[in-house]
Amino acid sequence: MSHAHEDGHSHQHGDASNDSWEAMDEADPQAATSSRRQLLKYGGVGATLAAASAALPGPAFAAGSGTSLRRRGGRAWRAGDHHIHSEYSGRFDTTKNPPTFAKGADAVYPIVANAIMAKSFGLSWVMCTDHGGPTHSKVNLELAYPDLLKSRGLVPEVLQFWGMEFDAPQMDHHTLMIPQRNNEAQLLYDLESRYAKLDAFPSDPSRDTEAKMVEFLNYANNMASKPLVIAHHASRSASGLGVWGQDTPREFRNNQDAAPTVYVGFEGAPGHQAGPLNGGARGAYGNYPTHGGFDQMTAMVGGLWDSLLGEGRKWWITATSDSHVHWTRGGSDFWPGEYSKTYVDARQDYADIMDGLRTGRIFVTTGDLIAGLDVTASHAGRAATVGQTVTVKRGRDNDVEIEIRFMPPKSKNGNGDRPRVHRVDIIAGDVTGPVTNRDAAANTTTKVVARYGTGDFRRRGDEYVIRYTLRDVTSKGYIRVRGTSTDEMEPAADGLESPWDDLWFYSNPVFIDVA
């Protein structure tokens, strides 16, 4: 895909105790007052929140407050998190048959506590994703799911999906998101009891094979209500740059080929981002670090993500908290929505949120660097945005016009800062079709084609606007956008710097076809 720049300038270069309840009251006094006694009674939530020492933000962070409402069909950019642990990420005593389960061994917060904090930090939707284990499918069905139903009733402003952190055969963990249905608990039980590699007791080595993972995806793909599967911390086990661990490019390709509308991507920014605040690594990436808080598979221009996109794959990235224990209590985590957000262009509706995740209507940000991002590619009256494809008709005019609109947040972030976008990059690559080497992890056509600094942004109301022209487009390709609060030309390998000083946002791709 050939391209040249035209428009604009291109540069190559506290305490969540009683205060938490007061903050909630200010955001929605009637709702908070009416449910306070229920919340305090249910699951010891009052004690849990009183023990947390992260100060809640002010009333501007009510659920959905970070959305841009200039949308179509009632849709808005709705922030969420699909990787959150509760006290049901616990411990099994396998000396007994059947094993007995104890809550709170790994993650400590009740489901409703996570929902309360998610609402406080501006999330419109969340998902409970607890670890599996021997007979955990019964724990989910009989213990955790009833608590989820209670939480939905107590915090109705936040859509709360049901699912788990799936013990994927031969791979690291994955989100397994179940469509909201009357039988959603049984749907998860069916999948977990059949296919989660750790659910069998006694253990069953035949569950832990690549073939079993593909079998699981084939089964999920044939369900009337298809789930979603998204890889977690995909290169956390990698021992070096491009030296893969549990998750490999071949497995990603095989899995998506089996279920292309079920297996849709990986976390671009993994959770555990507060690690450096307690002397640990961002993301708990102890072997090879994240770059700007993002997994190397996403952060490297021309790397694995671009290799997958270069095949024309609809492969999306997200950002999550992976919340277990807040960093102020010795953990490595932020609350859901406190630092990382996955924005989906959707109505406040379970089905539309899930459709947005499935079809790539997504952008991600850390530290509330932005609150809205529209990326549009237009040609001859046709237009496409993230997750979509615009078609160029061969002729005299093969130019594609790119417009980027981003919105800064209207309130301070979880650290009390008002971060500013220092630079926005436009990244473009060719789509050349399926690779012969299933372990390919590079797209050499992908480049940063334009960089814009603060002096190049044009203010339009609450948004900043950037325009760019791809000249003489004669072959298939894609564009994607990233931005940063830093002056790094490429995201550097992370050390112990504060995550609040190293913020990035990423769009998902817009594809360009040529007919």
Side-chain angles (χ1 to χ4, degrees):
M1 182 174 65
S2 61
H3 39 72
H5 178 290
E6 180 173 85
D7 194 320
H9 303 287
S10 177
H11 297 284
Q12 302 305 313
H13 44 212
D15 180 19
S17 53
N18 292 334
D19 290 343
S20 68
W21 298 112
E22 291 169 7
M24 288 174 58
D25 289 352
E26 290 172 2
D28 191 351
Q30 184 174 358
T33 301
S34 64
S35 62
R36 179 183 297 174
R37 281 188 293 272
Q38 291 174 283
L39 290 168
L40 286 168
K41 181 178 179 181
Y42 168 60
V45 175
T48 298
L49 293 181
S53 38
L56 286 175
F61 254 106
S65 66
T67 63
S68 168
L69 298 178
R70 192 182 60 83
R71 316 301 299 160
R72 299 158 299 282
R75 286 177 172 162
W77 284 118
R78 302 186 190 275
D81 185 340
H82 65 82
H83 186 179
I84 302 168
H85 291 265
S86 79
E87 61 189 342
Y88 288 104
S89 288
R91 177 187 296 115
F92 287 89
D93 182 354
T94 56
T95 64
K96 298 179 174 62
N97 191 357
T100 58
F101 177 74
K103 293 193 293 186
D106 190 20
V108 299
Y109 305 115
I111 292 172
V112 72
N114 286 327
I116 292 167
M117 300 306 284
K119 175 186 173 182
S120 300
F121 283 106
L123 298 191
S124 299
W125 60 272
V126 296
M127 181 179 166
C128 185
T129 53
D130 284 313
H131 291 299
T135 71
H136 183 262
S137 55
K138 291 184 179 180
V139 172
N140 262 341
L141 183 67
E142 298 170 1
L143 301 177
Y145 184 68
D147 274 11
L148 176 78
L149 295 181
K150 293 175 185 176
S151 182
R152 283 174 173 171
L154 292 168
V155 194
E157 303 88 348
V158 179
L159 300 181
Q160 300 174 54
F161 284 91
W162 182 232
M164 71 173 296
E165 183 164 53
F166 184 63
D167 300 308
Q170 269 297 293
M171 297 188 76
D172 207 334
H173 298 140
H174 285 61
T175 280
L176 173 53
M177 176 182 277
I178 303 299
Q180 197 275 325
R181 298 286 190 276
N182 289 336
N183 65 338
E184 60 190 346
Q186 191 61 44
L187 291 175
L188 179 60
Y189 178 79
D190 182 29
L191 290 168
E192 184 178 5
S193 61
R194 283 175 182 261
Y195 293 109
K197 66 184 175 186
L198 299 181
D199 197 69
F201 184 79
S203 62
D204 180 1
S206 71
R207 286 189 177 225
D208 195 14
T209 66
E210 289 186 32
K212 182 61 71 171
M213 183 66 176
V214 172
E215 181 186 334
F216 154 70
L217 290 167
N218 281 324
Y219 186 86
N221 196 50
N222 288 319
M223 296 174 71
S225 300
K226 292 184 181 182
L228 277 176
V229 180
I230 300 170
H232 292 173
H233 37 71
S235 62
R236 189 170 69 181
S237 57
S239 58
L241 183 60
V243 185
W244 311 122
Q246 287 180 274
D247 295 350
T248 66
R250 181 192 70 253
E251 289 172 307
F252 291 141
R253 291 182 166 99
N254 291 345
N255 293 345
Q256 193 176 57
D257 287 351
T261 60
V262 172
Y263 199 85
V264 296
F266 46 48
E267 291 175 335
H272 302 313
Q273 291 278 342
L277 302 179
N278 280 328
R282 287 175 82 171
Y285 276 44
N287 299 318
Y288 183 83
T290 52
H291 284 240
F294 281 72
D295 188 293
Q296 61 165 296
M297 293 181 177
T298 295
M300 299 299 168
V301 173
L304 178 55
W305 186 26
D306 290 312
S307 179
L308 296 169
L309 297 178
E311 293 185 277
R313 292 182 182 274
K314 304 303 189 285
W315 191 272
W316 321 127
I317 65 164
T318 61
T320 69
S321 66
D322 198 356
S323 177
H324 287 64
V325 179
H326 196 265
W327 71 270
T328 55
R329 295 186 65 186
S332 58
D333 306 323
F334 292 110
W335 289 110
E338 184 180 5
Y339 184 75
S340 298
K341 286 182 169 72
T342 295
Y343 279 88
V344 179
D345 184 17
R347 297 178 291 277
Q348 186 67 354
D349 169 81
Y350 282 99
D352 207 41
I353 293 286
M354 201 160 178
D355 181 70
L357 289 168
R358 198 183 304 276
T359 58
R361 301 194 306 270
I362 304 165
F363 78 86
V364 301
T365 187
T366 55
D368 291 302
L369 181 57
I370 59 172
L373 175 64
D374 292 312
V375 181
T376 306
S378 305
H379 171 78
R382 294 176 292 272
T385 186
V386 290
Q388 299 177 343
T389 302
V390 64
T391 299
V392 174
K393 298 290 187 180
R394 295 184 186 274
R396 291 183 178 180
D397 178 9
N398 289 343
D399 294 350
V400 176
E401 303 298 332
I402 308 299
E403 182 181 81
I404 302 163
R405 292 178 176 267
F406 67 91
M407 179 182 291
K410 295 181 179 179
S411 58
K412 294 180 180 179
N413 66 14
N415 197 46
D417 303 326
R418 291 184 181 272
R420 294 188 62 194
V421 176
H422 181 77
R423 196 187 70 252
V424 173
D425 297 335
I426 299 177
I427 299 166
D430 292 347
V431 171
T432 55
V435 294
T436 55
N437 175 12
R438 303 284 284 184
D439 283 313
N443 183 345
T444 58
T445 71
T446 306
K447 302 286 190 298
V448 177
V449 296
R451 301 184 190 270
Y452 293 83
T454 54
D456 305 319
F457 307 154
R458 301 178 182 180
R459 189 73 185 243
R460 296 289 185 273
D462 291 337
E463 299 176 315
Y464 290 97
V465 181
I466 295 169
R467 292 189 175 94
Y468 174 80
T469 300
L470 287 173
R471 289 290 190 192
D472 194 26
V473 176
T474 57
S475 58
K476 296 180 179 181
Y478 64 90
I479 64 105
R480 57 184 183 87
V481 172
R482 72 180 179 191
T484 182
S485 66
T486 75
D487 59 3
E488 297 173 358
M489 299 302 284
E490 294 296 327
D494 294 324
L496 293 179
E497 71 278 4
S498 170
W500 295 106
D501 297 332
D502 187 17
L503 307 181
W504 294 77
F505 70 79
Y506 284 71
S507 80
N508 271 284
V510 183
F511 291 93
I512 300 171
D513 197 5
V514 177

